Amino acid sequence: MPTTADVRTGSPNPPSVRSDAAFERAAKVLVGGVNSPVRAFGSVGGTPRVVASARGATITDIDGRTYLDLVGSWGPAIVGHAHPAIVEAVRSAGERGLTFGAPCEAETELAELILGALPGAERVRFVNSGTEAGMSAVRLARAATSRTKLIKFAGNYHGHTDALLVAAGSGAETLGVPDSAGVTPTAAADTLTARYNDLDDVDRLLRAHGADIAAILVEPVAGNMGFVQPAAGFLEGLRERCDRAGCLLVFDEVMTGFRVAWGGAQTRFNIRPDLTCLGKVMGGGMPVAAYAGPARIMELVAPVGPVYQAGTLSGNPIGMAAGLATLTLCKAPGFYDKLEMLATRLVSGLVTAARACDIPVAGAALGGMLGFAFSAELPTNLDEARSADHERFRAFFHAMLDAGVWLPPSPYEALFLSSAHTAADIEAIIACAQRSFRQIG
Ligand code: PLP
């Protein structure tokens, strides 16, 4: 049984007794004991910790062990867990009704805030998950262009809709099955895959299929094959090629939206996509996502246009209240600068600590998103991400977990900081990493 310590106080944690039993019980009724595959620790081994609560920068399991959290529920918790302003907004909205199935003012307020942050976007449609946002953006792009084919990038994940579950990164990589059983060849046939950061590969596909391409979908900063940044000129190159080929550029900013900058990667890199998919941060921890773009495209969606898309709980007042409270906090001057300062310090501390032990580690940060890989250079595409030292990641993950740091349980995931993390938290994590690197050698 692993001995663990509270990373902030250094005092020993109780052993994993209740958590192991609770997970064993869960595995008898939930598929693999979880409701989303990566949570099952498939790529790191061992038993997931069952969570009791999360507050600020920490997460606590049901044995009472507290960890400094670098996952943030996979991105949404950008102001820390259970932020009082969000909890109060949700509580007060709940008192007025959980869902109306009819328009409410909070939808308009959140839409105004989001459209104010995305240059060129004039209409938004709220949905309930990033998967739905990606699926709907694809349908809309096909309708807008009267074309069928899509280009996506190997290692980019756009949710688990059939057409996009091709070379789809993290979850699928973690399971070792890049494509899913149950996706028919027909559903995947119109999805073409290019290598991330490789415009020549995009040109190859455009030469062969240009007149049939409805959209190029991209994670403008990739977070589902580890953390992979766009090379200089890559996003600009995609914009130019879409203009030339007459297809739409769809930025999947489910992860990067309001995470790497106010607005997202499109404001950070100053590129205007035709459509944007959002999720995670903009829903403040509730199941809220969206797709947005100029009126001339978005008004093809029902009820104005012929593209059908609907949702019983879409735009529900609880999700809208959580999103509004979260984005209001993110809009504070200097919010992303402070996050990036902490994230950059964390990355440099991790890299220095690893190299002091002769372990090659590379990393980078952008706003509140960061990543590291056990390789001499940070990967720039899926092939490079695959060739990092995943055995070492596994050992490091468990050493850090036992030391009280909650990392994503897969080398194919990015890390997320929140404004609740303090400079002292970052130094405590770096100190844990120094010990962990020495331990794993
Ligand atoms: N797009 C990206 C870039 C994502 O990272 C994710 C989820 O991690 C999705 C889409 C799917 O979002 P959801 O899990 O809300 O369906």
Side-chain angles (χ1 to χ4, degrees), residues 50-55 58-67 406:
V50 176
V51 175
S53 63
R55 181 165 296 275
T58 62
I59 192 159
T60 302
D61 72 19
I62 61 172
D63 286 299
R65 294 172 300 187
T66 293
Y67 310 81
W406 190 273

Side-chain angles (χ1 to χ4, degrees), residues 350-363 372-379 387-390 392-393 437 440-441:
L350 287 176
V351 170
T352 308
R355 291 191 178 162
C357 300
D358 281 332
I359 300 175
V361 165
F372 66 94
F374 283 87
S375 52
E377 306 286 340
L378 199 62
S387 63
D389 187 342
H390 297 324
R392 261 204 173 121
F393 177 86
F437 284 128
I440 67 169

Side-chain angles (χ1 to χ4, degrees), residues 196-250:
Y196 197 79
N197 275 329
D198 187 343
L199 291 171
D200 291 341
D201 210 25
V202 175
D203 286 337
R204 173 185 63 86
L205 294 175
L206 286 173
R207 270 195 304 276
H209 305 281
D212 297 326
I213 305 290
I216 298 181
L217 280 87
V218 66
E219 284 184 59
V221 177
N224 287 291
M225 48 177 162
F227 179 71
V228 176
Q229 292 177 288
F234 176 59
L235 299 175
E236 290 85 344
L238 294 181
R239 179 66 276 174
E240 282 163 24
R241 281 158 180 78
C242 285
D243 290 341
R244 232 182 297 138
C247 64
L248 302 192
L249 179 60
V250 180

Side-chain angles (χ1 to χ4, degrees), residues 54-326:
R55 181 165 296 275
T58 62
I59 192 159
T60 302
D61 72 19
I62 61 172
D63 286 299
R65 294 172 300 187
T66 293
Y67 310 81
L68 272 170
D69 180 16
L70 293 174
V71 181
S73 190
W74 304 98
I78 196 165
V79 293
H81 295 284
H83 190 289
I86 303 175
V87 173
E88 175 51 28
V90 166
R91 193 199 57 74
S92 117
E95 279 181 357
R96 296 189 298 275
L98 299 179
T99 169
F100 307 139
C104 64
E105 284 184 310
E107 290 172 303
T108 307
E109 279 177 53
L110 184 57
E112 287 167 353
L113 197 52
I114 288 171
L115 294 178
L118 303 182
E122 297 166 318
R123 299 285 185 279
V124 59
R125 169 60 59 85
F126 292 115
V127 292
N128 304 295
S129 70
T131 294
E132 258 187 271
M135 177 189 77
S136 308
V138 164
R139 185 178 303 147
L140 178 53
R142 284 174 166 158
T145 57
S146 302
R147 299 174 177 185
T148 52
K149 292 195 188 302
L150 309 167
I151 295 177
K152 76 175 286 289
F153 293 93
N156 279 190
Y157 177 63
H158 304 294
H160 60 90
T161 186
D162 281 7
L164 298 176
L165 213 48
V166 179
S170 63
E173 281 304 313
T174 300
L175 288 170
V177 279
D179 300 324
S180 170
V183 175
T184 63
T186 324
D190 283 329
T191 307
L192 310 171
T193 307
R195 190 202 294 252
Y196 197 79
N197 275 329
D198 187 343
L199 291 171
D200 291 341
D201 210 25
V202 175
D203 286 337
R204 173 185 63 86
L205 294 175
L206 286 173
R207 270 195 304 276
H209 305 281
D212 297 326
I213 305 290
I216 298 181
L217 280 87
V218 66
E219 284 184 59
V221 177
N224 287 291
M225 48 177 162
F227 179 71
V228 176
Q229 292 177 288
F234 176 59
L235 299 175
E236 290 85 344
L238 294 181
R239 179 66 276 174
E240 282 163 24
R241 281 158 180 78
C242 285
D243 290 341
R244 232 182 297 138
C247 64
L248 302 192
L249 179 60
V250 180
F251 270 15
D252 182 343
E253 298 231 43
V254 168
M255 202 178 258
T256 54
F258 299 98
R259 166 57 69 180
V260 299
W262 175 251
Q266 59 194 269
T267 53
R268 179 91 191 209
F269 294 102
N270 198 21
I271 308 288
R272 206 174 274 198
D274 297 297
L275 292 175
T276 301
C277 299
L278 294 168
K280 297 190 188 268
V281 169
M282 60 139 298
M286 301 301 290
V288 175
Y291 58 107
R296 75 188 149 77
I297 302 176
M298 289 300 292
E299 294 204 334
L300 292 172
V301 176
V304 183
V307 177
Y308 193 69
Q309 187 273 305
T312 300
L313 296 176
S314 296
N316 73 78
I318 306 291
M320 299 296 103
L324 265 173
T326 302

Side-chain angles (χ1 to χ4, degrees), residues 78-79 258 262 281 325-336:
I78 196 165
V79 293
F258 299 98
W262 175 251
V281 169
T326 302
L327 294 192
T328 303
L329 291 164
C330 293
K331 210 176 174 189
F335 181 88
Y336 291 95

